[in-house]
Amino acid sequence: MLKTAVVIRHVEFEDLGTFEAVLTAAGYRIHYYDLGINDLWTLDPLLPSLLVVLGGPVGVYEDDAYPFLAEERGLLEARLAANLPTLGICLGAQQIAATLGARVAPTGVKEIGFSELTLTEDGCGSPLRHLDGVSVLHWHGDAFEIPEGAVNLASTSLCGTQGFALGRNILGLQFHPEVNACAGMERWLVGHAVELAAAGIDPCTLRADARRFGPPLRAGARKMLTEWLQELAV
């Protein structure tokens, strides 16, 4: 049976990255819904086998400035109510959390760069165990609280909620396991140049860290996603 993965992409360079090969190998046909190109109202939230909502440089609380946010949460509300497989990364995870009634707010600090996660007990028993000891990419200034009924999977010193799972089908990740750091991060560095400058972060450091941490991140993230897909309750 053909499986479909619909991917809501907010900015062109924040794509599936290394996750694309995993989904293809697992038998998914991938369809991107690009903000500003594909109208969200044309997407049936109950139809895809898997819905992935990717990251973006806006906050879930900015509905007036970016009306798509409320429309996107409307799609998620229907999908989450049906407990259909849904993965959110960064903004996507925050959108899932907000849809489930959890608070999302600025942390007061930019967490941008590569560092390891501290897994919770639940995280150690989850597919995130493949990222134990692996430096992952962080790129956010907001954070979610853990939705009611979900479990906290990981933290860092700057953010106590780096991931949550609601059952086997709903996964939200604050960090970016999908980024293909092995291929270089120039699109990220240029696309977020203003944010990096405002935060006083040297792109040369990120570029060097991407070369150093890219291979183990790619390997661990692909194992994580493969296991999560295998454990879906469908």
Side-chain angles (χ1 to χ4, degrees):
M1 178 179 177
L2 178 64
K3 296 180 288 187
T4 57
V6 167
V7 183
I8 298 178
R9 178 167 53 183
H10 304 110
V11 288
E12 191 272 338
F13 58 84
E14 292 198 31
D15 54 23
L16 282 173
T18 63
F19 281 3
E20 188 164 329
V22 176
L23 290 169
T24 300
Y28 288 86
R29 179 175 292 176
I30 298 168
H31 302 275
Y32 278 102
Y33 260 67
D34 286 298
L35 186 65
I37 298 176
N38 306 107
D39 293 324
L40 287 178
W41 67 264
T42 65
L43 173 58
D44 181 346
L46 305 183
L47 188 60
S49 309
L50 171 66
L51 178 66
V52 182
V53 185
L54 295 172
V58 297
V60 302
Y61 41 80
E62 297 183 283
D63 291 359
D64 290 342
Y66 304 102
F68 84 89
L69 290 163
E71 186 177 6
E72 190 172 275
R73 290 196 301 275
L75 293 173
L76 284 168
E77 183 176 11
R79 187 163 181 91
L80 297 175
N83 192 35
L84 295 174
T86 307
L87 170 64
I89 297 174
C90 200
L91 174 61
Q94 294 165 5
Q95 284 279 74
I96 293 174
T99 302
L100 293 171
R103 181 173 180 265
V104 180
T107 64
V109 63
K110 292 287 187 179
E111 185 176 28
I112 300 176
F114 288 85
S115 68
E116 295 182 16
L117 300 166
T118 299
L119 299 182
T120 65
E121 183 177 351
D122 288 308
C124 289
S126 79
L128 266 67
R129 63 189 177 85
H130 296 290
L131 295 174
D132 190 21
V134 175
S135 289
V136 302
L137 178 65
H138 306 276
W139 205 304
H140 69 106
D142 293 349
F144 49 72
E145 293 182 351
I146 302 300
E148 183 177 355
V151 295
N152 189 6
L153 300 176
S155 67
T156 59
S157 61
L158 293 178
C159 180
T161 54
Q162 285 286 350
F164 66 86
L166 181 60
R168 292 162 60 185
N169 286 356
I170 314 300
L171 180 63
L173 303 174
Q174 182 58 73
F175 59 98
H176 287 276
E178 84 290 358
V179 65
N180 188 8
C182 296
M185 294 184 57
E186 289 310 302
R187 294 190 303 163
W188 283 69
L189 300 180
V190 173
H192 292 308
V194 173
E195 183 179 26
L196 291 175
I201 296 173
D202 186 351
C204 295
T205 299
L206 286 173
R207 189 179 293 113
D209 285 347
R211 289 193 295 266
R212 177 184 176 189
F213 298 122
L217 174 56
R218 178 178 59 188
R222 284 179 170 176
K223 290 178 181 177
M224 180 204 74
L225 182 61
T226 297
E227 183 172 314
W228 184 70
L229 293 173
Q230 292 172 343
E231 293 180 351
L232 291 175
V234 293

